[in-house]
Amino acid sequence: MSRLSLASLSLLLLPLLFAGCDDDRDGRGIGDPGIADEGNDDAAEQDPPEVPEGLDEMFAAASDEFDVPATILRSVAQVETLWQMVEGSVEFDGQEPSVGMMALRGANLEEGAALAGVTVADATNEPLANIRAAAALLSAMADEQGISDRSNYEAWAEVLGDYSGITNVDARNAYIHAEVFPAIVASTPTVGDQGGRDIFAELPEDQTVGAGPDYAGSIWRPSPNNSARPGGSAGDPSMVVIHTCEGSYSGCWGWLVNPDSGVSAHYVVNNTGSEISQLVAENRKGWHVGATYNCSLNGNTDCAKNGSGSNNFTIGIEHAGYAKQASWDANQIDASARLVCDISQGQDIVRDQYHIVAHGRLQPYNRIDPGPNWPWASYLAAIQTYCNEMPQPEPEPEPQPEPQPEPDPQPNPDPNAAISIIIDSNDALNGSNADMTVSNAWTSGSGPTDWQTGYWWRSTQAVSDAAVFSFYLDAPAQLVVDAWWVSGTNRSAAAPFMIFNSSQQKIGTVYANQQQNGGKWNTLGIYNFQAGWNHVDLSVWAAAGYVVVADAVRVRTP
Amino acid sequence: MLTRSRSVGAAALLALLGCGRSSKDDSTASERVASEPSVALATSPDPVCGRIVFATEAEHELQRLEWIAASGGPISPVTTTPLDAGFSEFPAAPTPDARALLVLSSQTLAEGQTLDHFGLLELDALPGTPRAIGPQAQLRNPSWAPDGTWLVFESNAESFRDLYRLDLASGSVLRLTNDPQGNFEPAVSPDGQRIAFVSSRDGNAEIYVMTADGGSPTRLTYAIGDDSAPIWSPEGQTIAFFSGRERERGIDLFVMDAEGKHQRPLIDDPTRTQSIIARDASFSPEGKHLAFTQLVPSGEGGGVVIVDAQTGKVVARTIGERVDEQPTWSPDGQHLAFARNRGEHSDIARIRVDGSELVVLTSGEGVHWLPRWVADRECPRAAPPRPSPASRG
């Protein structure tokens, strides 16, 4: 796949989720039109999707030509693509991409095109040709099934199941009975003398389907494709990864619960937001960022944590649809945002673009590619809104106490007068009774909370290379020693200040925590100094990986 | 009077805004010029100089670095790295003196991880071999100190994501931040004394500023929605950033002063009819303009937009077939290069700051992207406003 197509893949996909593969389960009929409302209390407010203008004429034309009810064509297109001309992506060996609003794929595409007498290219790119190819294919499949009364929708069940390509029995049934048939019902108030859902005599009874363990608005469809998260912070969910199915909802979860697929996600959201499946408990590791996935371009920026795989600490959400589709249903985005809000609250996940990310192209020089299609801005905003996250009041910045420069220390001839000498890291500001030196290995810095005009800093390491703050006393004196620094989380928690008298005797050592209390004087103790040049040294010999800050030292009469 | 190349840009590939230079010249000429950059050079009123380094997709989606003269010409390799080395190379950032390029080499690991390392490549004799510097981990968003002696970057080496400072002379790496919620996208101020960055330490992505050694982290923004990707104006008085704080704007470009005051949306674009997603912002070297990529959320593509950095009024914008993105400024601030996506291919293109004189520099057959315009010794440079000198100790 080229860079360009990747560029348009705003959301990167599991290796294809085209439905497929065998499965095992007994045919538990999932759902009927009511299932959506059961599954998601919030679905009631959504508007039913509307077919784009002009398409009904195409469906009608294809229906007349191939004797397939237009309602079936329209409903299949709704379930598969929400009537968008899509260009599916091959992300998984052996899986063909699906194309057009009818999501024709692989041999179906070629066969349908041949039956309709159109080229594969037209069936891929032209709406009418795509519909006609699908109609021709469905008609041929109906012949094989021996459907005599084409207006009997229920007779189409197996054809629709075959058309979907879904082999997981539950998912296939859900595709037929919980997706396509309800779409037919919704769009067909009356069919002949049959009204509404009565056209389906054998529509399955409402199933009692449990909600997912972590989200009440979901249906629990457990996938065996999960494993334990590592202990500790390495396995603490801290990110949500957004995927697209590259196919229909039922095909998507059907694939993800298939033990042979070897992939899963925690949640799947359908293409109208009316139903969400939970497949994996949030406290378990889902297999949604595939090992076979090549992310030289698409690698998720935040997909590694402490050298562990991204599945360890992420929660994956699949969305029915296609990364390249032109737009996303607002209700689907809304339902997903609501889900993500719930996840972020339950798992204490930061709600921002760095923690709610596309499984998408990730340029090593950059972070996420929001891509042209997924509405990241409104999606993140909706998540914040659901979490009632109000902007924090803009606090008046704490007025930084403007450090009152002490009066210039003058050599005090009166031994009884109070002493206050400040030794600044900027030696040019020091009087004749103060001096400051550092080696070339120290680096200058400045910041809003520094003393006067800046400071020196150096990384901690196993050498002393002290910054030396010297001051001259005419007579011995007992003085308080204060130090000033610019704090930060990367400062040494035990910056070693060593206090020397003029005889070069070390009269004290104080380990200061420079991660805190920056921008103010911090008392190191009271010491007896001698006449002459005494000094306070700040060594860099401390636990590695931090810095010590030499900004200013003050000595003063207690 | 329109030059040929200028008419090319206007007629064939570019929509001009506000400068009234649109032309109805025939597109045959434009295609010819677009494929023969030397013609454009001959007729260009302001010669372009320097070269444009970019990434080109090779086999197995591996990225390799190539360069082309900004005036056009053949494409040449930048590094000698063989493809079977198994990693991609990206043009991370030229050094401030433009003599070397920071190259990011990225190796794909299982489960979507990458193992990256930086290399420094002298640009005097190409192709060359980048000299490996710094740690091996996932590395992102490097930003050079103005004197080129150190850089900052973000990495997951020891945490979810934190910021580090790499000193070139000693090779020492200093961790600057430590928050489990992550720190991102550092940008060194023009005087080298501050680092603007993004942090989610307070539960939401916001812009912070700290000293160049990690001190006094100060939060500047308090907005619902993400604030991200801060950049400094060349004189250091203004920080531009992206914000999702106004939903109807989408993710748009905002500005504030370096202390966080006067936060406001920058763009004044009466033609805008819907929310946008902005990214890839950069100030022109003298600070007069800002260029960025503007994407339309509904997938209708996007283009490079050039605005007045003071007023936010649109000076010019490109409209390509699909998406024009990743603008990079010429050293004199008179031109930009960008990547023009078109179907399965992507080209490197060049325009003047007023949107005229569009020239597609590459052939249309490859996938070329991530352009970085690098000065050579012949290049006139815009004189950036000088930030106040850094105070010492």
Side-chain angles (χ1 to χ4, degrees):
Chain A
M1 178 176 296
S2 79
R3 211 279 297 177
L4 262 287
S5 56
L6 286 167
S8 58
L9 288 184
S10 63
L11 312 167
L12 236 257
L13 336 166
L14 271 194
L16 281 197
L17 300 172
F18 291 139
C21 292
D22 36 36
D23 199 22
D24 43 3
R25 300 176 181 229
D26 52 0
R28 183 179 60 144
I30 297 282
D32 67 0
I35 192 71
D37 293 331
E38 282 184 10
N40 186 344
D41 299 338
D42 307 314
E45 62 201 49
Q46 68 173 289
D47 303 320
E50 286 185 16
V51 65
E53 213 168 310
L55 282 185
D56 271 332
E57 288 78 1
M58 296 189 195
F59 290 130
S63 172
D64 289 346
E65 184 177 357
F66 298 103
D67 195 17
V68 177
T71 313
I72 284 185
L73 297 175
R74 184 172 54 196
S75 299
V76 166
Q78 176 184 343
V79 167
E80 292 282 357
T81 66
L82 269 183
W83 307 294
Q84 296 191 64
M85 290 297 289
V86 301
E87 180 190 355
S89 304
V90 178
E91 292 286 336
F92 195 73
D93 288 345
Q95 296 277 13
E96 299 289 343
S98 53
V99 298
M101 76 180 70
M102 304 303 293
L104 286 164
R105 50 180 73 88
N108 278 359
L109 171 62
E110 292 174 17
E111 187 181 342
L115 288 168
V118 299
T119 65
V120 168
D122 283 349
T124 300
N125 299 312
E126 302 295 330
L128 181 57
N130 185 258
I131 293 168
R132 288 182 64 239
L137 179 69
L138 284 164
S139 185
M141 294 164 83
D143 284 343
E144 283 178 25
Q145 291 278 342
I147 299 177
S148 51
D149 178 6
R150 296 259 175 121
S151 64
N152 177 4
Y153 290 85
E154 289 184 285
W156 284 88
E158 291 311 308
V159 168
L160 292 169
D162 290 348
Y163 182 90
S164 75
I166 304 172
T167 50
N168 173 296
V169 175
D170 286 348
R172 180 184 166 103
N173 283 333
Y175 178 88
I176 301 164
H177 297 289
E179 294 208 89
V180 178
F181 281 1
I184 292 173
V185 169
S187 66
T188 314
T190 54
V191 177
D193 56 355
Q194 298 174 311
R197 53 193 296 172
D198 295 338
I199 59 176
F200 297 105
E202 294 178 25
L203 207 60
E205 291 300 305
D206 287 0
Q207 300 292 311
T208 303
V209 183
D214 299 304
Y215 189 55
S218 67
I219 295 170
W220 181 229
R221 293 181 162 120
S223 168
N225 303 327
N226 71 89
S227 50
R229 293 187 187 273
S233 64
D236 182 23
S238 59
M239 288 175 60
V240 178
V241 181
I242 306 303
H243 304 256
T244 57
C245 287
E246 293 306 289
S248 70
Y249 172 65
S250 299
C252 192
W253 66 256
W255 176 249
L256 298 178
V257 300
N258 181 340
D260 294 335
S261 74
V263 289
S264 63
H266 292 88
Y267 295 96
V268 184
V269 181
N270 78 351
N271 64 357
T272 58
S274 63
E275 185 174 311
I276 295 174
S277 292
Q278 180 169 8
L279 313 182
V280 176
E282 290 179 12
N283 64 4
R284 300 282 295 177
K285 174 157 76 169
W287 301 345
H288 54 103
V289 181
T292 56
Y293 173 59
N294 178 342
C295 71
S296 65
L297 286 178
N298 304 323
N300 188 324
T301 286
D302 293 319
C303 64
K305 182 182 183 183
N306 296 330
S308 72
S310 54
N311 285 334
N312 286 341
F313 59 93
T314 57
I315 289 172
I317 304 177
E318 287 286 350
H319 296 83
Y322 302 80
K324 289 184 180 178
Q325 73 188 44
S327 66
W328 292 86
D329 184 81
N331 291 313
Q332 183 184 22
I333 296 301
D334 197 64
S336 178
R338 197 180 295 234
L339 168 64
V340 171
C341 169
D342 183 84
I343 294 169
S344 73
Q345 289 177 325
Q347 300 290 347
D348 197 20
I349 293 174
V350 178
R351 287 183 288 275
D352 66 16
Q353 61 170 304
Y354 308 98
H355 296 80
I356 300 163
V357 302
H359 179 205
R361 177 174 69 148
L362 246 144
Q363 301 154 351
Y365 75 100
N366 203 339
R367 179 159 314 285
I368 61 172
D369 175 3
N373 303 343
W374 187 266
W376 279 106
S378 49
Y379 184 58
L380 289 170
I383 294 167
Q384 303 280 15
T385 303
Y386 278 124
C387 283
N388 252 339
E389 184 143 306
M390 301 307 293
Q392 303 182 35
E394 184 129 9
E396 273 307 304
E398 195 84 3
Q400 200 56 247
E402 200 58 42
Q404 288 302 320
E406 303 283 322
D408 256 2
Q410 297 294 329
N412 200 326
D414 179 358
N416 297 321
I419 292 171
S420 180
I421 303 172
I422 293 175
I423 310 102
D424 192 9
S425 50
N426 183 346
D427 202 41
L429 298 182
N430 287 324
S432 60
N433 61 349
D435 181 77
M436 198 278 179
T437 58
V438 290
S439 77
N440 286 336
W442 290 71
T443 306
S444 69
S446 72
T449 60
D450 60 17
W451 178 257
Q452 304 282 48
T453 61
Y455 56 90
W456 299 98
W457 62 271
R458 193 181 167 184
S459 297
T460 52
Q461 47 206 292
V463 296
S464 179
D465 189 30
V468 181
F469 297 84
S470 304
F471 57 97
Y472 185 83
L473 297 178
D474 291 325
Q478 187 181 60
L479 299 174
V480 177
V481 177
D482 302 320
W484 184 290
W485 55 76
V486 174
S487 58
T489 55
N490 68 339
R491 306 318 203 201
S492 173
F497 284 90
M498 294 171 291
I499 296 98
F500 293 86
N501 62 22
S502 61
S503 304
Q504 302 306 320
Q505 281 178 310
K506 183 157 76 175
I507 55 177
T509 300
V510 178
Y511 296 97
N513 180 358
Q514 292 193 328
Q515 293 176 3
Q516 298 167 357
N517 296 316
K520 64 179 202 173
W521 291 112
N522 296 282
T523 299
L524 301 181
I526 300 179
Y527 300 92
N528 290 311
F529 294 101
Q530 300 171 325
W533 285 97
N534 303 271
H535 56 99
V536 177
D537 290 8
L538 173 59
S539 168
V540 303
W541 199 322
Y546 299 91
V547 302
V548 294
V549 172
D551 194 351
V553 167
R554 178 176 68 178
V555 292
R556 59 184 165 93
T557 302
Chain B
M1 177 186 154
L2 289 174
T3 65
R4 172 171 292 180
S5 57
R6 181 173 291 159
S7 69
V8 164
L13 297 158
L14 195 65
L16 296 182
L17 275 195
C19 51
R21 285 191 194 154
S22 63
S23 158
K24 295 184 173 62
D25 288 8
D26 69 274
S27 60
T28 312
S30 64
E31 285 167 16
R32 184 156 53 82
V33 174
S35 61
E36 294 174 27
S38 58
V39 176
L41 174 63
T43 59
S44 177
D46 290 319
V48 292
C49 75
R51 50 189 161 192
I52 297 167
V53 178
F54 51 90
T56 293
E57 186 168 296
E59 295 165 33
H60 311 300
E61 295 180 27
L62 291 174
Q63 306 297 315
R64 280 295 168 269
L65 299 184
E66 294 182 325
W67 69 274
I68 189 169
S71 56
I75 294 175
S76 307
V78 167
T79 65
T80 55
T81 313
L83 268 183
D84 60 15
F87 55 79
S88 286
E89 291 180 330
F90 296 89
T95 55
D97 66 5
R99 296 212 168 149
L101 174 73
L102 186 72
V103 176
L104 191 148
S105 299
S106 184
Q107 181 185 358
T108 301
L109 305 178
E111 293 210 323
Q113 303 171 71
T114 63
L115 181 63
D116 309 331
H117 67 273
F118 289 126
L120 203 55
L121 179 69
E122 301 298 330
L123 292 170
D124 286 340
L126 297 182
T129 304
R131 171 173 63 88
I133 57 172
Q136 293 207 13
Q138 206 165 45
L139 309 173
R140 295 291 183 270
N141 295 315
S143 174
W144 281 104
D147 65 0
T149 60
W150 53 274
L151 58 98
V152 294
F153 57 92
E154 59 169 85
S155 174
N156 67 351
E158 299 169 307
S159 60
F160 179 73
R161 188 69 55 165
D162 271 299
L163 306 184
Y164 297 81
R165 169 173 168 150
L166 169 63
D167 183 78
L168 248 57
S170 67
S172 65
V173 175
L174 172 65
R175 182 168 173 176
L176 297 175
T177 59
N178 185 1
D179 301 282
Q181 300 86 359
N183 295 282
F184 318 89
E185 297 171 352
V188 183
S189 66
D191 68 359
Q193 293 296 303
R194 302 279 183 279
I195 298 167
F197 64 105
V198 179
S199 181
S200 296
R201 62 186 65 179
D202 296 309
N204 188 343
E206 305 284 0
I207 309 292
Y208 287 69
V209 168
M210 63 182 170
T211 64
D213 56 319
S216 294
T218 306
R219 180 172 170 179
L220 299 186
T221 61
Y222 294 81
I224 189 172
D226 289 351
D227 292 329
S228 63
I231 55 170
W232 296 83
S233 64
E235 93 292 344
Q237 300 299 307
T238 301
I239 295 173
F241 60 101
F242 297 126
S243 180
R245 63 182 64 184
E246 292 185 20
R247 199 164 174 176
E248 65 278 11
R249 283 183 171 270
I251 299 172
D252 202 359
L253 192 58
F254 283 67
V255 291
M256 59 184 168
D257 65 29
E259 287 73 46
K261 302 261 193 330
H262 306 113
Q263 300 183 14
R264 63 188 173 92
L266 175 65
I267 309 303
D268 175 10
D269 182 356
T271 69
R272 194 189 282 183
T273 57
Q274 57 178 321
S275 67
I276 65 154
I277 294 176
R279 55 178 182 176
D280 308 331
S282 61
F283 280 95
S284 62
E286 82 288 5
K288 192 172 167 212
H289 295 108
L290 262 162
F292 63 100
T293 302
Q294 175 171 316
L295 297 171
V296 178
S298 62
E300 293 161 18
V304 172
V305 179
I306 303 160
V307 298
D308 183 294
Q310 289 299 318
T311 66
K313 294 200 180 302
V314 177
V315 174
R317 74 174 86 227
T318 72
I319 298 177
E321 201 175 311
R322 293 281 287 275
V323 175
D324 293 341
E325 57 181 343
Q326 303 154 1
T328 175
W329 289 93
S330 68
D332 66 0
Q334 295 302 308
H335 297 83
L336 296 101
F338 59 94
R340 163 156 288 191
N341 291 350
R342 188 176 48 77
E344 295 293 304
H345 301 289
S346 176
D347 285 305
I348 304 300
R350 189 194 80 211
I351 50 167
R352 285 185 60 80
V353 64
D354 63 4
S356 65
E357 247 181 80
L358 178 111
V359 177
V360 178
L361 295 167
T362 52
S363 66
E365 300 303 309
V367 179
H368 310 295
W369 59 310
L370 294 175
R372 306 281 184 258
W373 197 316
V374 185
D376 61 27
R377 295 198 176 99
E378 311 303 317
C379 282
R381 297 213 196 198
R386 287 198 166 269
S388 50
S391 48
R392 305 289 295 179

